[in-house]
Amino acid sequence: MATTRDWLLDDSPSSRLQARLGRGYRLSRALMRNPLAMVGALIVLALILAALFAPWIATHSPITQDLAMRLKPPSAEYWMGTDELGRDIWSRVVYGARITLMIVMLVAVLAAPVGLVIGAIAGYYGGWVDRILMGITDIFLSMPKLILALAFVAALGPGIQNAIIAIAIATWPGYARIARAETLTIRNSEFVSAVELQGASSFRVIVNHILPLCSSSMIIRVTLDMAGIILTAAGLGFIGLGAQPPLPEWGAMISRGRSFILNEWWVATMPGFAIVIVSLGFCFLGDGLRDVLDPKHGDRQ
Amino acid sequence: MASETDPALALPSGSRGASHTARRAWKMGKGLLSILFAVAFTFLGLLAITFFIGRVVPIDPVLAVVGDRAPRAVYEAARLEMGLDRPLIVQFLDYVGNVLTGNLGMSVSTGRPVAEDLARVFPATLEMATLGILIGVLLGVPMGVYAASRQGSLVDQVIRVVGLLGYSIPAFWLGLVGLALFYAKLQWVGGPGRIDVFYDGMVDPVTGLLLVDSLLAGETEIFFNALSHILLPAAVLGFFSLAYIARMTRSFMLDQLAQEYITTARVKGVPERLVLWRHAFRPILVPLITVIALSYAGLLEGSVMIETVFSWPGIGNYLTTALLNADMNAVLGATLVIGAVFIGINKISDVLYRVLDPRAR
């Protein structure tokens, strides 16, 4: 063990692989020293496991209705009670993890690269390219995200795909801003000039040398944004514009429980706890990642 | 704002190299003018977005406005009325002209002009958001200062977690839980709506703010009824601004408390309370005003969800009702107004920052 550790922490790594693994090892060590970040990582891990193994974790079917057992309070049989159609809420919450994870990942996959590329191009070329791209970015940034997403869903029509597209549209400008700021600090560094003098095209400089260096601040920002994305998706589901029934989406589940809130409180309350815990997990993890990857911007503990 | 820039504009020709104040005023006027251009540009961008959402994104914008059950004749009339046979840029300029003259189109669901509807529902939202921000400021600022002064203590950790909860709790869920607890179970507050049905329409709308109107009319009973209804939604909104304001206040205060002049003051034996509130807090007032303004604008966004939960007849409820009825004119009108207020508050806080902070001049 000790030799592996020495190899990982070697000050002069002999291969690219060793350097990368060593960096990963140092980061994970630093992350493990931060208790809140570990709690966050565990929550996110639990979300992923729940999504992967939903059929084994759920105790009932998430969609089979049983009207005889409708609106039963939490018990040993139904851990979170049942909803107005007799479905087990625990099982629906577990399956809902799949939908939440899918939304969050798709939004990140759609929005982060777009923002990254736009920001890097604006920062690298500067001048009027920068002015036009950042003008557009700022207009999107100046709108409240939820309202923007709502209006886009209204035009595109309700449904989970459109909700994902709308949230991605509302999310990318933040990433463009960050990527531009990072690019501006990298653009005039000597290694970029060196690559340019070797005759590398702008495309090559941006893709091979600028984008990889933006990635750590992007990872932080995307993780911190996850909570906001989950809340927006749940909000769209709550209003009835996101995931449609019978999909067990957490926001839509809360919306169904609204009519029973005064007596059968568990129907609306339980999925809400899932949202709060998962969002909080992403917040903790994002805060921890920021402290580790970007010490100069972290809050003082 | 315009009146502030005009005298500054006249300066350079007449009084070149004049007094220091004149030059400063000229510089500030130039700054304000550039902000004015930025505002105009942003508003144009906002209009471009709503135009894009209304006319370009839907496959058939006419259908989006008249609904899919409209007869053929209505459809054709709407198509001509919307001018969809003209080029896109002409349509856009037409749209900008309409908005500038206050014409936001007709709402399908209420059958009235959207602008009129919005003017009617806006005070309800304003009333709730204002009470919410008051709660957020009055609790959040002291919490942030206290957390910073006891950095690392249990209270500080609790306040930190509250701050993060503000980013993780769905507003609509907190509203529902609040209703279940404080209305259904404890009966401390009134239920959904602005006022009991019994009192509805009993005071003349002067300002549109029920709390103010009932006091103006001298109806204390109605005032307290309205207060019991607004308390819970405003407290829920207040929680979110509190979380944000406390978090930011804490971080600003920590920056100040690490400065050397604070150490000097402490070494001189200045009481800790004075060090906190006079030495450390006063310099953070300016950035704090920006934070509060941003938070106030953010409450407009939060009110969309909260109003749906509490059946609050404000702009958020109007927007969601319009969304569900596919009432595109109303959706775009509400989006436009919320966006414009959001941008407006942001820019005003920019200007305030410039005016108040000597370093930014």
Side-chain angles (χ1 to χ4, degrees):
Chain A
M1 268 320 270
T3 46
T4 323
R5 195 168 158 264
D6 288 341
W7 181 77
L8 282 170
L9 292 178
D10 198 348
D11 278 334
S12 43
S14 53
S15 69
R16 200 174 267 197
L17 179 77
Q18 187 184 359
R20 285 199 181 144
L21 285 178
R23 186 174 136 80
Y25 179 70
R26 283 198 190 91
L27 286 180
S28 55
R29 280 275 301 251
L31 206 58
M32 267 185 239
R33 276 197 293 274
N34 185 335
L36 276 188
M38 281 318 288
V39 172
L42 286 179
I43 292 173
V44 174
L45 191 70
L47 174 77
I48 295 171
L49 290 180
L52 283 178
F53 301 111
W56 289 277
I57 296 171
T59 50
H60 295 74
S61 155
I63 39 175
T64 309
Q65 303 177 5
D66 181 3
L67 289 178
M69 297 306 287
R70 65 193 293 268
L71 297 173
K72 292 276 178 257
S75 62
E77 167 76 12
Y78 300 105
W79 297 350
M80 290 182 172
T82 61
D83 66 6
E84 81 283 8
L85 296 172
R87 297 173 295 196
D88 178 43
I89 295 178
W90 162 253
S91 306
R92 286 175 68 73
V93 166
V94 170
Y95 273 92
R98 289 186 164 179
I99 299 173
T100 300
L101 199 63
M102 184 187 81
I103 293 173
V104 157
M105 279 176 13
L106 283 179
V107 169
V109 165
L110 284 174
V114 172
L116 199 57
V117 167
I118 289 180
I121 290 175
Y124 183 74
Y125 288 104
W128 60 267
V129 177
D130 184 28
R131 236 170 283 157
I132 289 175
L133 287 179
M134 282 303 116
I136 297 172
T137 308
D138 282 345
I139 288 164
F140 275 89
L141 265 184
S142 66
M143 286 281 290
K145 269 190 197 172
L146 178 69
I147 309 292
L148 198 58
L150 278 177
F152 267 100
V153 176
L156 292 165
I160 193 158
Q161 287 97 338
N162 290 342
I164 291 171
I165 295 171
I167 298 173
I169 291 175
T171 313
W172 70 267
Y175 304 137
R177 268 274 160 217
I178 292 179
R180 175 177 178 270
E182 289 279 321
T183 307
L184 283 181
T185 62
I186 303 167
R187 188 181 66 175
N188 294 324
S189 56
E190 283 172 6
F191 77 92
V192 170
S193 316
V195 181
E196 280 170 344
L197 282 174
Q198 285 171 19
S201 63
S202 310
F203 177 80
R204 197 182 167 83
V205 174
I206 291 178
V207 172
N208 285 0
H209 299 277
I210 290 182
L211 291 188
L213 284 174
C214 299
S215 61
S216 75
S217 50
M218 288 297 285
I219 291 172
I220 298 168
R221 180 61 191 257
V222 169
T223 315
L224 283 172
D225 272 359
M226 287 297 174
I229 293 169
I230 292 173
L231 292 193
T232 311
L236 289 176
F238 178 75
I239 291 179
L241 295 171
Q244 298 298 307
L247 277 184
E249 199 269 325
W250 295 339
M253 288 169 72
I254 296 177
S255 162
R256 300 295 294 264
R258 220 184 125 188
S259 349
F260 314 105
I261 189 68
L262 299 186
N263 295 309
E264 290 86 11
W265 53 271
W266 57 88
V267 183
T269 313
M270 293 301 180
F273 282 123
I275 299 178
V276 175
I277 291 171
V278 170
S279 308
L280 210 54
F282 276 112
C283 277
F284 286 161
L285 184 63
D287 259 13
L289 279 176
R290 184 178 52 191
D291 290 347
V292 172
L293 290 172
D294 189 12
K296 60 183 184 289
H297 289 166
D299 294 43
R300 258 160 264 106
Q301 293 290 318
Chain B
M1 257 193 300
S3 59
E4 272 175 88
T5 56
D6 291 342
L9 277 176
L11 271 174
S13 53
S15 54
R16 195 179 302 254
S19 69
H20 179 67
T21 13
R23 245 183 293 146
R24 226 181 61 189
W26 159 239
K27 221 174 125 189
M28 223 167 107
K30 225 167 80 174
L32 287 175
L33 200 68
S34 74
I35 288 180
L36 217 58
F37 271 119
V39 173
F41 181 74
T42 316
F43 276 120
L44 204 64
L46 174 64
L47 286 172
I49 290 181
T50 49
F51 175 77
F52 181 76
I53 293 173
R55 292 286 166 86
V56 186
V57 177
I59 297 158
D60 190 340
V62 184
L63 216 57
V65 168
V66 297
D68 48 6
R69 262 168 272 166
R72 188 88 205 148
V74 175
Y75 179 94
E76 283 303 326
R79 194 180 139 77
L80 279 183
E81 193 202 345
M82 287 167 74
L84 287 172
D85 43 340
R86 294 171 305 160
L88 220 50
I89 183 74
V90 178
Q91 288 184 43
F92 178 62
L93 291 177
D94 201 39
Y95 174 71
V96 174
N98 274 338
V99 170
L100 287 181
T101 51
N103 175 12
L104 297 174
M106 296 291 284
S107 159
V108 193
S109 42
T110 64
R112 270 178 299 204
V114 172
E116 205 177 279
D117 279 343
L118 287 172
R120 189 168 41 82
V121 297
F122 195 70
T125 300
L126 187 70
E127 191 172 30
M128 188 168 80
T130 306
L131 207 59
I133 196 76
L134 278 178
I135 294 173
V137 172
L138 291 180
L139 293 178
V141 171
M143 274 170 73
V145 172
Y146 188 81
S149 74
R150 300 250 188 307
Q151 194 192 351
S153 70
L154 186 69
V155 181
D156 182 32
Q157 297 294 342
V158 170
I159 290 176
R160 262 184 75 124
V161 173
V162 166
L164 285 181
L165 278 175
Y167 290 97
S168 338
I169 295 184
F172 56 90
W173 180 76
L174 194 63
L176 280 175
V177 173
L179 268 182
L181 195 63
F182 295 110
Y183 169 61
K185 193 126 189 143
L186 299 170
Q187 305 201 321
W188 286 358
V189 295
R194 280 182 97 182
I195 196 161
D196 284 356
V197 184
F198 174 71
Y199 295 112
D200 205 11
M202 273 175 65
V203 285
D204 297 324
V206 182
T207 57
L209 311 171
L210 259 183
L211 291 178
V212 178
D213 284 349
S214 58
L215 279 186
L216 284 180
E219 300 273 6
T220 48
E221 204 180 320
I222 296 182
F223 172 79
F224 283 112
N225 187 271
L227 190 65
S228 78
H229 279 269
I230 201 174
L231 221 48
L232 187 57
V236 172
L237 271 185
F239 169 76
F240 290 98
S241 65
L242 173 159
Y244 177 58
I245 291 173
R247 191 179 155 100
M248 296 310 284
T249 307
R250 175 181 179 276
S251 131
F252 291 153
M253 279 298 279
L254 283 180
D255 276 345
Q256 288 301 321
L257 289 175
Q259 303 279 326
E260 279 176 1
Y261 75 92
I262 295 291
T263 318
T264 311
R266 279 181 177 151
V267 168
K268 271 169 39 185
V270 178
E272 188 62 21
R273 209 159 55 91
L274 277 186
V275 170
L276 275 186
W277 290 102
R278 183 172 295 167
H279 292 78
F281 183 70
R282 279 180 53 181
I284 73 165
L285 258 177
V286 175
L288 209 54
I289 286 174
T290 317
V291 164
I292 291 168
L294 285 179
S295 174
Y296 192 42
L299 288 191
L300 272 178
E301 191 180 5
S303 69
V304 173
M305 287 294 169
I306 295 292
E307 286 179 8
T308 316
V309 172
F310 288 91
S311 311
W312 195 260
I315 195 166
N317 208 354
Y318 183 74
L319 176 60
T320 44
T321 315
L323 280 169
L324 293 178
N325 294 329
D327 186 352
M328 226 34 212
N329 277 340
V331 170
L332 294 181
T335 307
L336 201 61
V337 168
I338 295 176
V341 173
F342 199 82
I343 294 170
I345 293 179
N346 268 320
K347 295 295 176 187
I348 288 173
S349 79
D350 268 6
V351 175
L352 269 181
Y353 193 92
R354 261 169 209 252
V355 174
L356 293 178
D357 191 339
R359 282 164 303 182
R361 270 176 206 155

